[in-house]
Short mmCIF file of all heavy atoms in Angstrom, two decimals:
data_model
loop_
_atom_site.label_atom_id
_atom_site.label_comp_id
_atom_site.label_asym_id
_atom_site.label_seq_id
_atom_site.Cartn_x
_atom_site.Cartn_y
_atom_site.Cartn_z
N ALA A 332 4.45 24.45 0.22
CA ALA A 332 5.08 24.02 1.47
C ALA A 332 6.18 25.01 1.85
O ALA A 332 6.94 25.47 0.99
CB ALA A 332 5.67 22.62 1.32
N ASP A 333 6.24 25.34 3.13
CA ASP A 333 7.20 26.32 3.64
C ASP A 333 7.97 25.72 4.81
O ASP A 333 7.41 24.98 5.64
CB ASP A 333 6.49 27.59 4.12
CG ASP A 333 5.56 28.18 3.08
OD1 ASP A 333 6.00 28.37 1.94
OD2 ASP A 333 4.38 28.42 3.42
N LEU A 334 9.24 26.09 4.91
CA LEU A 334 10.09 25.66 6.02
C LEU A 334 10.76 26.89 6.62
O LEU A 334 11.37 27.68 5.90
CB LEU A 334 11.15 24.67 5.52
CG LEU A 334 12.15 24.15 6.56
CD1 LEU A 334 11.43 23.32 7.63
CD2 LEU A 334 13.25 23.32 5.88
N ALA A 335 10.63 27.04 7.94
CA ALA A 335 11.22 28.17 8.65
C ALA A 335 12.48 27.73 9.38
O ALA A 335 12.47 26.70 10.08
CB ALA A 335 10.22 28.75 9.65
N LEU A 336 13.58 28.52 9.23
CA LEU A 336 14.85 28.21 9.87
C LEU A 336 15.31 29.40 10.69
O LEU A 336 15.03 30.56 10.33
CB LEU A 336 15.93 27.88 8.84
CG LEU A 336 15.74 26.66 7.94
CD1 LEU A 336 14.86 26.99 6.74
CD2 LEU A 336 17.10 26.14 7.46
N ASP A 337 16.04 29.11 11.80
CA ASP A 337 16.63 30.21 12.54
C ASP A 337 17.99 30.54 11.95
O ASP A 337 18.41 29.98 10.92
CB ASP A 337 16.70 29.89 14.04
CG ASP A 337 17.69 28.78 14.38
OD1 ASP A 337 18.51 28.39 13.51
OD2 ASP A 337 17.66 28.28 15.53
N ALA A 338 18.70 31.45 12.58
CA ALA A 338 19.95 31.94 12.01
C ALA A 338 21.03 30.86 11.94
O ALA A 338 21.94 30.93 11.11
CB ALA A 338 20.46 33.12 12.84
N GLU A 339 20.93 29.85 12.80
CA GLU A 339 21.90 28.75 12.79
C GLU A 339 21.48 27.62 11.86
O GLU A 339 22.21 26.64 11.69
CB GLU A 339 22.09 28.19 14.21
CG GLU A 339 22.92 29.08 15.12
CD GLU A 339 22.13 30.30 15.56
OE1 GLU A 339 20.91 30.14 15.86
OE2 GLU A 339 22.70 31.41 15.58
N GLY A 340 20.29 27.72 11.28
CA GLY A 340 19.82 26.68 10.38
C GLY A 340 18.93 25.64 11.04
O GLY A 340 18.58 24.64 10.40
N ARG A 341 18.55 25.88 12.28
CA ARG A 341 17.65 24.92 12.94
C ARG A 341 16.23 25.13 12.46
O ARG A 341 15.78 26.26 12.26
CB ARG A 341 17.73 25.08 14.46
CG ARG A 341 19.07 24.68 15.06
CD ARG A 341 19.08 24.78 16.57
NE ARG A 341 20.37 24.35 17.11
CZ ARG A 341 21.43 25.13 17.24
NH1 ARG A 341 21.36 26.40 16.86
NH2 ARG A 341 22.56 24.65 17.74
N PHE A 342 15.52 24.01 12.29
CA PHE A 342 14.14 24.08 11.82
C PHE A 342 13.24 24.59 12.94
O PHE A 342 13.28 24.07 14.06
CB PHE A 342 13.65 22.71 11.36
CG PHE A 342 14.46 22.08 10.26
CD1 PHE A 342 14.35 20.72 10.00
CD2 PHE A 342 15.32 22.84 9.48
CE1 PHE A 342 15.10 20.13 9.00
CE2 PHE A 342 16.06 22.26 8.46
CZ PHE A 342 15.96 20.89 8.22
N LEU A 343 12.44 25.58 12.62
CA LEU A 343 11.49 26.13 13.58
C LEU A 343 10.08 25.61 13.37
O LEU A 343 9.34 25.40 14.33
CB LEU A 343 11.48 27.67 13.49
CG LEU A 343 12.80 28.38 13.76
CD1 LEU A 343 12.63 29.88 13.52
CD2 LEU A 343 13.26 28.11 15.19
N ALA A 344 9.70 25.41 12.11
CA ALA A 344 8.34 24.97 11.80
C ALA A 344 8.24 24.68 10.31
O ALA A 344 9.06 25.17 9.52
CB ALA A 344 7.32 26.04 12.18
N PHE A 345 7.24 23.90 9.95
CA PHE A 345 6.86 23.82 8.54
C PHE A 345 5.35 24.01 8.44
O PHE A 345 4.62 23.78 9.41
CB PHE A 345 7.31 22.51 7.88
CG PHE A 345 6.62 21.25 8.36
CD1 PHE A 345 5.35 20.92 7.92
CD2 PHE A 345 7.28 20.38 9.23
CE1 PHE A 345 4.72 19.76 8.35
CE2 PHE A 345 6.66 19.21 9.66
CZ PHE A 345 5.38 18.91 9.22
N ARG A 346 4.93 24.45 7.27
CA ARG A 346 3.49 24.58 7.03
C ARG A 346 3.21 24.16 5.59
O ARG A 346 4.05 24.28 4.70
CB ARG A 346 3.00 26.00 7.29
CG ARG A 346 3.54 27.05 6.37
CD ARG A 346 3.11 28.46 6.79
NE ARG A 346 3.77 29.47 5.97
CZ ARG A 346 4.00 30.72 6.37
NH1 ARG A 346 3.62 31.11 7.58
NH2 ARG A 346 4.61 31.57 5.56
N VAL A 347 2.01 23.66 5.43
CA VAL A 347 1.58 23.15 4.13
C VAL A 347 0.16 23.63 3.89
O VAL A 347 -0.69 23.54 4.78
CB VAL A 347 1.62 21.60 4.08
CG1 VAL A 347 0.97 21.08 2.80
CG2 VAL A 347 3.04 21.10 4.20
N SER A 348 -0.08 24.13 2.70
CA SER A 348 -1.43 24.50 2.29
C SER A 348 -1.63 23.97 0.88
O SER A 348 -0.82 24.25 -0.02
CB SER A 348 -1.61 26.01 2.31
OG SER A 348 -2.89 26.37 1.85
N GLY A 349 -2.69 23.17 0.69
CA GLY A 349 -2.86 22.59 -0.63
C GLY A 349 -4.23 22.06 -0.91
O GLY A 349 -5.17 22.26 -0.13
N VAL A 350 -4.34 21.40 -2.04
CA VAL A 350 -5.61 20.82 -2.48
C VAL A 350 -5.37 19.36 -2.84
O VAL A 350 -4.32 18.99 -3.37
CB VAL A 350 -6.21 21.57 -3.68
CG1 VAL A 350 -6.66 22.97 -3.28
CG2 VAL A 350 -5.22 21.64 -4.84
N ALA A 351 -6.38 18.54 -2.56
CA ALA A 351 -6.30 17.11 -2.85
C ALA A 351 -7.50 16.71 -3.69
O ALA A 351 -8.63 17.14 -3.42
CB ALA A 351 -6.25 16.30 -1.56
N ASN A 352 -7.23 15.87 -4.67
CA ASN A 352 -8.27 15.39 -5.57
C ASN A 352 -8.83 14.08 -5.02
O ASN A 352 -8.11 13.10 -4.86
CB ASN A 352 -7.67 15.16 -6.97
CG ASN A 352 -8.73 15.01 -8.04
OD1 ASN A 352 -9.86 14.64 -7.77
ND2 ASN A 352 -8.34 15.28 -9.28
N MET A 353 -10.12 14.06 -4.72
CA MET A 353 -10.77 12.85 -4.21
C MET A 353 -11.27 11.95 -5.34
O MET A 353 -11.57 10.79 -5.11
CB MET A 353 -11.98 13.22 -3.34
CG MET A 353 -11.65 14.05 -2.11
SD MET A 353 -10.72 13.12 -0.87
CE MET A 353 -9.07 13.67 -1.24
N GLY A 354 -11.38 12.50 -6.56
CA GLY A 354 -12.12 11.79 -7.59
C GLY A 354 -13.60 11.98 -7.37
O GLY A 354 -14.05 12.86 -6.62
N ALA A 355 -14.41 11.15 -8.00
CA ALA A 355 -15.86 11.34 -7.97
C ALA A 355 -16.51 10.87 -6.68
O ALA A 355 -17.59 11.34 -6.31
CB ALA A 355 -16.50 10.61 -9.15
N TYR A 356 -15.88 9.92 -5.98
CA TYR A 356 -16.41 9.39 -4.73
C TYR A 356 -15.24 9.18 -3.77
O TYR A 356 -14.09 9.10 -4.18
CB TYR A 356 -17.11 8.04 -4.93
CG TYR A 356 -18.31 8.09 -5.83
CD1 TYR A 356 -18.21 7.77 -7.18
CD2 TYR A 356 -19.57 8.45 -5.33
CE1 TYR A 356 -19.31 7.81 -8.02
CE2 TYR A 356 -20.68 8.48 -6.16
CZ TYR A 356 -20.55 8.16 -7.50
OH TYR A 356 -21.65 8.20 -8.32
N LEU A 357 -15.57 9.05 -2.50
CA LEU A 357 -14.54 8.79 -1.51
C LEU A 357 -14.25 7.30 -1.42
O LEU A 357 -15.15 6.48 -1.25
CB LEU A 357 -14.98 9.28 -0.12
CG LEU A 357 -15.02 10.79 0.11
CD1 LEU A 357 -15.45 11.07 1.55
CD2 LEU A 357 -13.66 11.43 -0.16
N ASN A 358 -12.98 6.95 -1.53
CA ASN A 358 -12.51 5.63 -1.14
C ASN A 358 -12.87 5.43 0.35
O ASN A 358 -12.95 6.40 1.10
CB ASN A 358 -11.00 5.59 -1.35
CG ASN A 358 -10.34 4.36 -0.77
OD1 ASN A 358 -10.08 4.29 0.42
ND2 ASN A 358 -10.03 3.41 -1.63
N PRO A 359 -13.11 4.19 0.81
CA PRO A 359 -13.48 3.99 2.21
C PRO A 359 -12.53 4.59 3.23
O PRO A 359 -12.94 4.88 4.36
CB PRO A 359 -13.55 2.46 2.33
CG PRO A 359 -13.98 2.01 0.98
CD PRO A 359 -13.26 2.93 0.03
N LEU A 360 -11.26 4.80 2.88
CA LEU A 360 -10.31 5.38 3.83
C LEU A 360 -9.87 6.79 3.46
O LEU A 360 -9.05 7.38 4.15
CB LEU A 360 -9.07 4.49 3.94
CG LEU A 360 -9.29 3.10 4.57
CD1 LEU A 360 -7.98 2.32 4.59
CD2 LEU A 360 -9.86 3.21 5.97
N SER A 361 -10.40 7.34 2.39
CA SER A 361 -10.05 8.71 2.01
C SER A 361 -10.65 9.69 3.02
O SER A 361 -11.68 9.42 3.63
CB SER A 361 -10.60 9.03 0.62
OG SER A 361 -9.87 8.36 -0.38
N PRO A 362 -10.02 10.86 3.15
CA PRO A 362 -8.77 11.33 2.55
C PRO A 362 -7.58 11.18 3.49
O PRO A 362 -6.72 12.05 3.58
CB PRO A 362 -9.07 12.80 2.29
CG PRO A 362 -9.94 13.19 3.46
CD PRO A 362 -10.74 11.97 3.82
N LEU A 363 -7.52 10.07 4.21
CA LEU A 363 -6.43 9.81 5.15
C LEU A 363 -5.07 10.00 4.49
O LEU A 363 -4.15 10.58 5.08
CB LEU A 363 -6.56 8.38 5.69
CG LEU A 363 -5.47 7.88 6.62
CD1 LEU A 363 -5.52 8.64 7.95
CD2 LEU A 363 -5.59 6.38 6.85
N PHE A 364 -4.94 9.53 3.25
CA PHE A 364 -3.64 9.52 2.58
C PHE A 364 -3.12 10.93 2.32
O PHE A 364 -1.91 11.19 2.41
CB PHE A 364 -3.72 8.77 1.25
CG PHE A 364 -4.79 7.72 1.21
CD1 PHE A 364 -5.87 7.83 0.32
CD2 PHE A 364 -4.77 6.64 2.07
CE1 PHE A 364 -6.87 6.87 0.28
CE2 PHE A 364 -5.77 5.69 2.05
CZ PHE A 364 -6.83 5.80 1.15
N GLN A 365 -4.04 11.84 1.95
CA GLN A 365 -3.61 13.18 1.52
C GLN A 365 -3.69 14.22 2.63
O GLN A 365 -3.45 15.39 2.39
CB GLN A 365 -4.49 13.63 0.34
CG GLN A 365 -4.36 12.73 -0.88
CD GLN A 365 -5.70 12.43 -1.50
OE1 GLN A 365 -6.61 11.98 -0.81
NE2 GLN A 365 -5.84 12.65 -2.79
N THR A 366 -3.99 13.77 3.85
CA THR A 366 -4.14 14.72 4.96
C THR A 366 -3.30 14.29 6.15
O THR A 366 -2.15 14.70 6.29
CB THR A 366 -5.63 14.83 5.34
OG1 THR A 366 -6.15 13.52 5.65
CG2 THR A 366 -6.44 15.44 4.22
N VAL A 367 -3.85 13.45 7.00
CA VAL A 367 -3.17 13.04 8.23
C VAL A 367 -1.83 12.38 7.94
O VAL A 367 -0.81 12.69 8.57
CB VAL A 367 -4.07 12.09 9.05
CG1 VAL A 367 -3.29 11.46 10.20
CG2 VAL A 367 -5.28 12.83 9.58
N ASN A 368 -1.81 11.46 6.97
CA ASN A 368 -0.56 10.74 6.71
C ASN A 368 0.54 11.66 6.20
O ASN A 368 1.71 11.49 6.54
CB ASN A 368 -0.81 9.61 5.72
CG ASN A 368 -1.44 8.40 6.38
OD1 ASN A 368 -1.73 8.40 7.57
ND2 ASN A 368 -1.67 7.35 5.61
N ILE A 369 0.18 12.65 5.38
CA ILE A 369 1.19 13.59 4.92
C ILE A 369 1.74 14.39 6.10
O ILE A 369 2.96 14.54 6.27
CB ILE A 369 0.62 14.53 3.85
CG1 ILE A 369 0.45 13.77 2.53
CG2 ILE A 369 1.51 15.76 3.65
CD1 ILE A 369 -0.18 14.58 1.42
N ALA A 370 0.85 14.89 6.95
CA ALA A 370 1.28 15.72 8.08
C ALA A 370 2.19 14.94 9.03
O ALA A 370 3.26 15.42 9.44
CB ALA A 370 0.05 16.24 8.82
N ARG A 371 1.77 13.73 9.39
CA ARG A 371 2.55 12.96 10.35
C ARG A 371 3.91 12.56 9.80
O ARG A 371 4.93 12.59 10.52
CB ARG A 371 1.78 11.70 10.74
CG ARG A 371 0.59 11.96 11.65
CD ARG A 371 -0.12 10.66 11.98
NE ARG A 371 -1.18 10.87 12.95
CZ ARG A 371 -2.01 9.92 13.38
NH1 ARG A 371 -1.89 8.69 12.88
NH2 ARG A 371 -2.94 10.19 14.26
N ASN A 372 3.96 12.17 8.54
CA ASN A 372 5.21 11.67 7.97
C ASN A 372 6.13 12.78 7.52
O ASN A 372 7.33 12.55 7.33
CB ASN A 372 4.90 10.72 6.82
CG ASN A 372 4.33 9.41 7.31
OD1 ASN A 372 5.05 8.48 7.63
ND2 ASN A 372 3.01 9.31 7.39
N MET A 373 5.62 13.98 7.37
CA MET A 373 6.48 15.10 6.98
C MET A 373 7.42 15.49 8.11
O MET A 373 8.48 16.06 7.88
CB MET A 373 5.61 16.28 6.54
CG MET A 373 6.38 17.35 5.79
SD MET A 373 5.25 18.51 4.99
CE MET A 373 6.42 19.79 4.51
N VAL A 374 7.05 15.18 9.33
CA VAL A 374 7.94 15.45 10.46
C VAL A 374 9.25 14.70 10.27
O VAL A 374 10.34 15.20 10.55
CB VAL A 374 7.27 15.05 11.79
CG1 VAL A 374 8.24 15.19 12.96
CG2 VAL A 374 6.02 15.89 12.03
N GLY A 375 9.12 13.46 9.79
CA GLY A 375 10.30 12.68 9.43
C GLY A 375 11.26 12.48 10.58
O GLY A 375 10.87 12.18 11.71
N VAL A 376 12.56 12.65 10.28
CA VAL A 376 13.63 12.37 11.25
C VAL A 376 14.15 13.64 11.91
O VAL A 376 15.23 13.64 12.51
CB VAL A 376 14.79 11.62 10.56
CG1 VAL A 376 14.33 10.28 10.04
CG2 VAL A 376 15.39 12.45 9.42
N TYR A 377 13.36 14.71 11.84
CA TYR A 377 13.87 16.03 12.23
C TYR A 377 13.16 16.59 13.46
O TYR A 377 11.96 16.39 13.65
CB TYR A 377 13.74 17.00 11.05
CG TYR A 377 14.43 16.50 9.82
CD1 TYR A 377 13.71 16.03 8.72
CD2 TYR A 377 15.82 16.44 9.76
CE1 TYR A 377 14.35 15.55 7.59
CE2 TYR A 377 16.47 15.95 8.63
CZ TYR A 377 15.73 15.51 7.55
OH TYR A 377 16.37 15.01 6.45
N ARG A 378 13.93 17.37 14.24
CA ARG A 378 13.40 18.02 15.44
C ARG A 378 12.73 19.34 15.05
O ARG A 378 13.22 20.42 15.34
CB ARG A 378 14.53 18.26 16.45
CG ARG A 378 14.99 17.00 17.16
CD ARG A 378 16.18 17.25 18.08
NE ARG A 378 17.40 17.43 17.31
CZ ARG A 378 18.18 18.51 17.38
NH1 ARG A 378 17.86 19.51 18.18
NH2 ARG A 378 19.28 18.58 16.66
N THR A 379 11.59 19.21 14.39
CA THR A 379 10.81 20.38 14.00
C THR A 379 9.73 20.57 15.05
O THR A 379 8.85 19.72 15.21
CB THR A 379 10.17 20.18 12.62
OG1 THR A 379 11.17 19.75 11.69
CG2 THR A 379 9.51 21.46 12.14
N PRO A 380 9.75 21.66 15.81
CA PRO A 380 8.86 21.77 16.97
C PRO A 380 7.37 21.81 16.64
O PRO A 380 6.57 21.20 17.36
CB PRO A 380 9.30 23.08 17.64
CG PRO A 380 10.68 23.34 17.13
CD PRO A 380 10.70 22.79 15.73
N VAL A 381 6.99 22.52 15.57
CA VAL A 381 5.56 22.71 15.31
C VAL A 381 5.31 22.69 13.80
O VAL A 381 6.23 22.89 13.00
CB VAL A 381 5.03 24.05 15.89
CG1 VAL A 381 5.04 24.02 17.41
CG2 VAL A 381 5.84 25.23 15.36
N PHE A 382 4.06 22.46 13.44
CA PHE A 382 3.67 22.53 12.03
C PHE A 382 2.21 22.90 11.93
O PHE A 382 1.45 22.82 12.90
CB PHE A 382 3.96 21.20 11.31
CG PHE A 382 3.10 20.04 11.76
CD1 PHE A 382 1.80 19.88 11.30
CD2 PHE A 382 3.61 19.10 12.64
CE1 PHE A 382 1.01 18.81 11.70
CE2 PHE A 382 2.84 18.02 13.04
CZ PHE A 382 1.53 17.88 12.58
N ASP A 383 1.82 23.27 10.71
CA ASP A 383 0.43 23.58 10.40
C ASP A 383 0.16 23.08 8.99
O ASP A 383 0.86 23.47 8.04
CB ASP A 383 0.19 25.10 10.48
CG ASP A 383 -1.24 25.48 10.15
OD1 ASP A 383 -2.15 24.71 10.50
OD2 ASP A 383 -1.45 26.55 9.55
N VAL A 384 -0.81 22.17 8.85
CA VAL A 384 -1.12 21.58 7.55
C VAL A 384 -2.60 21.77 7.25
O VAL A 384 -3.46 21.39 8.07
CB VAL A 384 -0.77 20.08 7.52
CG1 VAL A 384 -1.27 19.43 6.23
CG2 VAL A 384 0.74 19.88 7.66
#
Side-chain angles (χ1 to χ4, degrees):
D333 308 309
L334 179 64
L336 297 83
D337 68 12
E339 285 74 41
R341 293 183 178 86
F342 302 163
L343 300 176
F345 68 78
R346 66 186 173 206
V347 171
S348 177
V350 292
N352 195 336
M353 299 291 99
Y356 297 96
L357 288 181
N358 170 280
L360 293 179
S361 287
L363 177 68
F364 333 116
Q365 298 136 307
T366 56
V367 170
N368 281 2
I369 286 177
R371 287 180 175 177
N372 288 273
M373 195 167 169
V374 174
V376 297
Y377 304 108
R378 285 176 286 123
T379 309
V381 292
F382 68 80
D383 180 35
V384 173

